[in-house]
Amino acid sequence: MMGAVVGDELPGRTLIGCNNIIGHHAVVGIKCQDMKYKAGSECFLQIGDNNELREYTSIHRSSLPNERTIIGDNNLIMGSCHIAHDCKVGNNNIFANNTLLAGHVIVEDFTHTAGATVIHQFCHIGSFSFIGGGSVVSQDVPKYTMVSGERAELRGLNLEGLRRRGFSVMEVKSLRAAYRKIFMPADGNFQSIEDRLTELQKDEKLSQVPAVCFLVQSIRDSFEEERRGICKFRSWAGS
């Protein structure tokens, strides 16, 4: 439409799928803001279908020729959001105004950020999670959880989001029980997070619920080498 500028002199490509809406003054597919980018290197951005990118949004291409920034399908990215180089954003996410993703952030599916959220580079944001407004996220957010705070901490499960997405009463109850076992042990024991996860996996009932298994795996993955660990929970922030 009027005012759009398509094409630049950067090597590489920006691929945009079907039925996307790109708002006024948005900048999509420009060179990344990364010191390791070398002038003349190919860089890539891939955007799927049915996304709405609102006014003043900026999405940057990858920093290296063998990488790419990826936006999936059916995402609502509100005004003045920024998605930096090499981010991987899944499907059906909602980023409220002024959500800022640093480089190499991975966002899974059906996540929701409130306004003015800042996410540190290399963090992973699990599916069906919620990030409260004004939060600074410097570690991973496990699936199904809710975090908030100037240095974001776990605040419980994203119960409203789970209900809206059709999780059954049984699934929600199982996730709540699993969350308590991991982060709110009744006996006040000081087991490591790994011990609590192992104990949960031995629970005959909870270990048979797929959502609980996904939660456990999401947490385990965050403690792998080169990952950032998960956002702290008050009762074990010092452990």
Side-chain angles (χ1 to χ4, degrees):
M1 289 187 281
M2 185 183 301
V5 178
V6 180
D8 59 28
E9 297 180 357
L10 284 175
R13 291 186 299 172
T14 293
L15 303 177
I16 301 176
C18 301
N19 303 316
N20 292 291
I21 297 173
I22 300 178
H24 293 85
H25 309 289
V27 179
V28 177
I30 198 170
K31 182 180 73 173
C32 67
Q33 299 173 144
D34 190 334
M35 295 299 292
K36 67 176 177 286
Y37 173 78
K38 296 181 180 179
S41 293
E42 288 191 323
C43 46
F44 301 94
L45 166 62
Q46 179 178 328
I47 298 177
D49 302 331
N50 306 310
N51 297 287
E52 185 167 359
L53 317 178
R54 293 301 300 267
E55 57 276 7
Y56 296 100
T57 290
S58 59
I59 305 177
H60 290 180
R61 298 190 194 184
S62 61
S63 60
L64 296 171
N66 60 341
E67 294 287 348
R68 63 182 54 211
T69 305
I70 297 176
I71 310 295
D73 303 329
N74 306 305
N75 296 289
L76 172 57
I77 301 173
M78 298 186 194
S80 300
C81 289
H82 173 65
I83 299 176
H85 60 90
D86 306 298
C87 286
K88 307 289 188 293
V89 175
N91 306 315
N92 301 290
N93 298 290
I94 300 174
F95 298 160
N97 296 315
N98 295 295
T99 292
L100 309 178
L101 275 60
H104 302 277
V105 169
I106 294 178
V107 181
E108 296 180 0
D109 303 326
F110 294 103
T111 71
H112 190 168
T113 71
T117 293
V118 178
I119 302 177
H120 192 281
Q121 61 188 9
F122 293 101
C123 284
H124 289 229
I125 311 300
S127 297
F128 303 100
S129 60
F130 177 84
I131 301 174
S135 297
V136 177
V137 179
S138 57
Q139 292 178 286
D140 292 356
V141 178
K143 290 179 185 289
Y144 314 122
T145 61
M146 178 170 56
V147 303
S148 66
E150 189 276 331
R151 279 294 182 269
E153 296 182 345
L154 285 160
R155 306 291 182 175
L157 292 172
N158 180 21
L159 295 175
E160 185 60 31
L162 295 176
R163 294 188 184 106
R164 289 181 179 181
R165 293 300 177 185
F167 281 69
S168 68
V169 173
M170 184 278 290
E171 288 176 307
V172 172
K173 285 184 176 179
S174 297
L175 284 169
R176 294 183 74 172
Y179 186 94
R180 286 194 296 268
K181 284 180 177 291
I182 299 168
F183 300 115
M184 306 168 66
D187 56 4
N189 66 62
F190 294 96
Q191 290 178 307
S192 69
I193 189 72
E194 176 62 33
D195 290 337
R196 296 181 197 178
L197 294 173
T198 300
E199 191 173 284
L200 177 58
Q201 288 180 304
K202 295 177 181 177
D203 188 293
E204 292 184 0
K205 291 184 178 180
L206 294 178
S207 63
Q208 301 303 310
V209 179
V212 172
C213 296
F214 292 145
L215 172 62
V216 170
Q217 191 60 49
S218 176
I219 296 170
R220 284 193 188 282
D221 289 346
S222 291
F223 288 100
E224 291 182 354
E225 189 176 359
E226 299 182 357
R227 292 282 294 271
R228 299 187 59 81
I230 63 173
C231 291
K232 296 297 186 291
F233 183 74
R234 290 181 184 276
S235 67
W236 59 278
S239 62

